[in-house]
Amino acid sequence: MMATLSLVEQTLKIVGKVDYSNADQIYKLGYQQLRDVTVWPLRIDLSEVQQGNTLLLAIIIQWLRKTQPNAKIQLVNVPEKMLGIIKASHLESLLSN
């Protein structure tokens, strides 16, 4: 299954599986959409991600680094495996409160 992105209001939704075959495409599509965001924080909804992994987390961190200096994101509906990676990496500030 191919992964897709959709930006509605202040939520970027990722659907499907992000792996090495589509990571570059997902990065570029997401970055294009993030450039148009003017109101922060942006929520990234992971409820329909097939597999949360370090590759997807790396893409999200790159998006954050490439956006405006005042940009903030909040990850919501984080898969359990990715939640463990986030906590082990001390990136809890990305999680929605």
Side-chain angles (χ1 to χ4, degrees), residues 6-67:
S6 61
L7 180 62
V8 178
E9 295 181 10
Q10 293 311 116
T11 302
L12 179 66
K13 186 166 191 145
I14 304 172
V15 177
K17 183 176 180 182
V18 178
D19 58 23
Y20 289 101
S21 69
N22 63 4
D24 189 53
Q25 177 188 14
I26 292 298
Y27 169 76
K28 289 175 182 175
L29 288 172
Y31 180 63
Q32 289 173 352
Q33 292 185 7
L34 289 177
R35 289 188 316 197
D36 297 332
V37 173
T38 57
V39 178
W40 302 92
L42 174 75
R43 293 166 46 106
I44 299 180
D45 184 353
L46 304 172
S47 62
E48 295 188 48
V49 169
Q50 280 188 350
Q51 180 181 357
N53 55 36
T54 56
L55 180 59
L56 178 54
L57 186 57
I59 290 170
I60 292 169
I61 290 169
Q62 277 301 108
W63 286 339
L64 186 58
R65 287 182 178 163
K66 296 282 188 177
T67 57

